[in-house]
Amino acid sequence: MHARELRSLSRCLGDPASASARVGPLLAQAGFGPALCGAAKDLLLADPFGVELVRTAYLCDVSRLRTKTHVPVERGALLMGVPDPSGTLPGGCVFAQIQAPSDPGPTQILGAAMVYRNPCLHPGDIRHVTAVGCPALGHLVNVVVFPARAGAPPTAAQCSGGDLDGDLFAVVWDRGLVLPAEAQHEACDYDAVLDSARRAHERGSEKPAQSLAEAFVRVVSNETLGRVAHMHLAICDQLPGGACHPMAVTMSQSQCLAVDYPKTGVPPTVPKEALKQLRSSGYPDFMEKGDCASYPSTKLLGE
């Protein structure tokens, strides 16, 4: 997929249609009208400014591919999660149909699929589901509908502690990417993680915040969100089992606390073993941390 995406990106350097498809949306976002965008199609690779524009767009795409591994999945979509208003979806199933602006009608997703929500760090954050048809939900387009029956597995909550108040979920139905149901890991109980961390925090706190101003300063000064995510990525690169290693699982729980810290007031804690591991091994080279020790990664992201 990585090599295929790189070949696809490089086509814009020599094919006017590919160059227009890549740069056209950028011109539209900059305020250029449809007529001008259409007229520029034949000039992009003939005019020096157009060539430089295409080249810059290409370099930005390649940089994202190299540093973030942004590989589009054709049989996948990022959709807002909503509850089933009809109460007919069984547990473990979802309903979704996709329609792009140029499509004559919606395309319904059917069969095995996987659903996840970012940040997706715990092995159990990826949920195997079955996309089914449901006539009562045919009016819902470009959303993923989760079961709302009493007793149904809380699939949305199992995806990194998500809920259905506007959260976005990635849905992938590519047969080459969807893992079999038996390969699914046990979901993390994020409520239990928060309750345990809250009790530990309350025992260790000298005093609660005395005012709203103190609480605001404490939240703003907390800079653990990005740091914990970077530490988790490095730990996964170094330890056998990657994200399934117990230390990586603990770090994923710390990241969950870091994400919710502004609304819970419970700060994350980093295991001392993780700090010791990073001090001794450093960070993988693809993270490009110039101020830290580095090593050449042999994992997929390092290649």
Side-chain angles (χ1 to χ4, degrees):
M1 292 180 64
H2 191 280
R4 185 177 63 214
E5 178 63 14
L6 187 60
R7 288 194 299 269
S8 175
L9 293 177
S10 64
R11 279 199 292 268
C12 72
L13 298 176
D15 178 39
S18 299
S20 176
R22 178 62 189 92
V23 177
L26 300 180
L27 295 176
Q29 292 176 10
F32 293 95
L36 184 57
C37 292
K41 177 179 179 179
D42 298 327
L43 300 176
L44 282 174
L45 299 181
D47 178 77
F49 176 77
V51 171
E52 188 62 26
L53 188 62
V54 173
R55 178 177 174 275
T56 301
Y58 168 76
L59 292 177
C60 289
D61 290 338
V62 171
S63 176
R64 282 194 293 268
L65 184 64
R66 181 178 64 85
T67 60
K68 302 293 185 180
T69 319
H70 282 184
V71 181
V73 178
E74 292 183 5
R75 298 178 65 82
L78 186 64
L79 306 172
M80 181 180 294
V82 300
D84 174 17
S86 66
T88 57
L89 275 181
C93 296
V94 297
F95 174 86
Q97 50 185 358
I98 314 298
Q99 182 177 6
S102 58
D103 293 342
T107 300
Q108 192 171 110
I109 301 171
L110 297 172
M114 62 183 184
V115 179
Y116 65 91
R117 168 183 170 270
N118 284 323
C120 180
L121 303 181
H122 190 279
D125 287 342
I126 301 177
R127 309 312 299 165
H128 184 282
V129 297
T130 302
V132 298
C134 183
L137 303 175
H139 61 289
L140 297 173
V141 181
N142 290 338
V143 296
V144 54
V145 185
F146 290 95
R149 284 182 177 181
T155 306
Q158 293 173 341
C159 296
S160 308
D163 48 40
L164 302 178
D165 62 354
D167 286 1
L168 297 177
F169 297 82
V171 183
V172 178
W173 59 97
D174 189 320
R175 292 185 178 182
L177 297 176
V178 177
L179 297 175
E182 54 270 20
Q184 178 174 255
H185 293 267
E186 183 179 356
C188 178
D189 188 346
Y190 287 101
D191 290 337
V193 171
L194 177 60
D195 290 341
S196 176
R198 179 179 283 117
R199 289 193 297 269
H201 176 61
E202 291 173 351
R203 288 195 301 268
S205 298
E206 298 181 359
K207 63 176 182 177
Q210 299 299 314
S211 66
L212 179 62
E214 289 185 16
F216 175 78
V217 170
R218 190 168 60 187
V219 170
V220 171
S221 61
N222 177 60
E223 299 178 350
T224 59
L225 182 59
R227 187 164 69 249
V228 173
H230 284 191
M231 293 175 66
H232 175 269
L233 180 59
I235 290 293
C236 290
D237 186 79
Q238 296 171 12
L239 299 180
C244 298
H245 191 280
M247 188 185 299
V249 171
T250 302
M251 290 296 299
S252 70
Q253 296 172 351
S254 297
Q255 174 68 359
C256 173
L257 295 174
V259 171
D260 291 338
Y261 174 70
K263 61 182 181 183
T264 64
V266 180
T269 57
V270 177
K272 294 181 179 179
E273 295 82 2
L275 295 173
K276 183 179 179 180
Q277 172 71 26
L278 293 176
R279 278 197 296 266
S280 61
S281 301
Y283 287 81
D285 52 356
F286 64 81
M287 296 185 69
E288 299 181 344
K289 284 186 169 292
D291 55 339
C292 302
S294 179
Y295 66 89
S297 171
T298 58
K299 297 289 182 68
L300 180 62
L301 291 180
E303 296 177 358

